[in-house]
Amino acid sequence: MSWILVTGASSGIGLEYCRHLAALGHDIVMVARRVTLMERHARDLHNEYGVQVEVIGANLADRADIDIVARRLQSTQKPVSLLVNNAGYAVKRPFDSNDITTEVAALNVMVTAPFVLSHAAISAMKKRGRGAIINVGSIAANKAIGTYSVHKAWLAAFSLVLCEELQKTNITVTCVEPGTVLTDFWGDAQPVIAERAKAVVVLEPKQVVKCSLKALREGKAICIPGPTYKAINAISKVMPRSLLAKTGTYLTKKRFSLP
């Protein structure tokens, strides 16, 4: 079986990718900041599924750490056949009142890292004649919920560009755009998010993983898990920009007011 590299692999959707793909017999490269936690998960994956698991401690807000991961993707030893750009987090303050260092760090994790890592992966995959990339975006890409929406809108557009440029190769790219998924992404606000989200729908990480892998096999550029979020996405695309912006501002304030 092949090697899979997953960023943001210590918990949530990233860890679910590792579990799901390890269960299929793939060897895993786990990338995240929390090395001790990843090492524990790595032992569990190896013991349960008999796969090899590498752990790379990296803070993707730091360009030097991004380059470390890029070098692993370019390695001809244990070549990576699937890159999952999953690392991301919520920026908890509006742009105009936030510290610029915090904003740039988020930009690096959710834009610069996928950009650099995808380039490294594609370069290596082209030489081998095959490969795949999954970018974990968000339904927020079609809204106006702080700079997080900007990052995810860029990721969706980037994925579409890669699909177009790589259509004559054996390299496929899919961007999955989930709605609310209960993971460590929400931090201490997770119970509040769970309560508020009952009116819509809460996705499990495994739903996101299965949707993206199915879309990847089918050659689809964009995947939105769940019929409810498909409908929300369709409505967002036809809403007037002014109303979309007002809705986004309201949702942003709600999020920033969470405990």
Side-chain angles (χ1 to χ4, degrees):
M1 286 292 185
S2 55
W3 282 87
I4 314 295
L5 188 147
V6 182
T7 68
S10 60
S11 63
I13 296 173
L15 180 57
E16 183 61 30
Y17 272 108
C18 294
R19 286 174 176 155
H20 186 94
L21 292 164
L24 296 176
H26 296 286
D27 298 316
I28 307 294
V29 182
M30 305 179 76
V31 178
R33 292 175 299 166
R34 295 181 289 182
V35 174
T36 302
L37 182 57
M38 280 195 296
E39 288 176 339
R40 188 175 76 225
H41 291 315
R43 286 192 296 270
D44 291 342
L45 292 173
H46 174 71
N47 292 336
E48 185 168 358
Y49 303 112
V51 298
Q52 298 182 67
V53 185
E54 291 182 23
V55 169
I56 298 177
N59 178 2
L60 298 183
D62 186 331
R63 179 56 194 269
D65 281 12
I66 294 175
D67 289 340
I68 290 172
V69 182
R71 286 194 290 273
R72 175 61 183 87
L73 288 164
Q74 291 175 322
S75 174
T76 57
Q77 302 295 318
K78 302 177 182 177
V80 171
S81 63
L82 170 62
L83 164 64
V84 181
N85 285 311
N86 166 74
Y89 57 91
V91 180
K92 297 182 179 180
R93 294 178 62 85
F95 180 76
D96 63 333
S97 60
N98 204 7
D99 177 76
I100 192 61
T101 302
T102 302
E103 289 288 345
V104 170
L107 184 72
N108 285 342
V109 171
M110 291 180 276
V111 175
T112 305
F115 191 70
V116 173
L117 298 183
S118 294
H119 190 273
I122 290 169
S123 175
M125 290 171 184
K126 275 188 170 182
K127 292 176 183 177
R128 297 194 302 274
R130 66 187 185 282
I133 296 172
I134 292 176
N135 291 321
V136 180
S138 171
I139 198 77
N142 297 311
K143 296 177 176 59
I145 308 176
T147 51
Y148 180 77
S149 286
V150 178
H151 303 150
K152 295 305 183 179
W154 178 89
L155 191 61
F158 179 56
S159 300
L160 290 172
V161 168
L162 292 182
C163 283
E164 177 66 23
E165 292 185 350
L166 297 170
Q167 61 179 324
K168 294 183 180 181
T169 72
N170 288 322
I171 302 171
T172 53
V173 180
T174 293
C175 182
V176 59
E177 297 185 337
T180 301
V181 185
L182 287 185
T183 66
D184 289 352
F185 175 92
W186 297 105
D188 295 338
Q190 187 169 325
V192 182
I193 290 293
E195 184 63 31
R196 292 182 180 177
K198 285 180 181 178
V200 187
V201 65
V202 177
L203 298 171
E204 294 290 336
K206 61 184 177 182
Q207 291 175 270
V208 179
V209 172
K210 288 182 178 180
C211 175
S212 64
L213 292 173
K214 182 175 183 291
L216 192 69
R217 289 192 297 270
E218 296 173 351
K220 294 180 179 178
I222 301 292
C223 164
I224 300 175
T228 301
Y229 285 112
K230 285 184 173 70
I232 292 171
N233 182 64
I235 292 169
S236 297
K237 287 184 176 180
V238 299
M239 284 177 65
R241 284 184 175 272
S242 58
L243 180 58
L244 187 64
K246 288 179 181 178
T247 303
T249 299
Y250 171 77
L251 292 173
T252 301
K253 288 180 179 178
K254 280 285 188 180
R255 188 182 71 184
F256 293 148
S257 66
L258 290 170

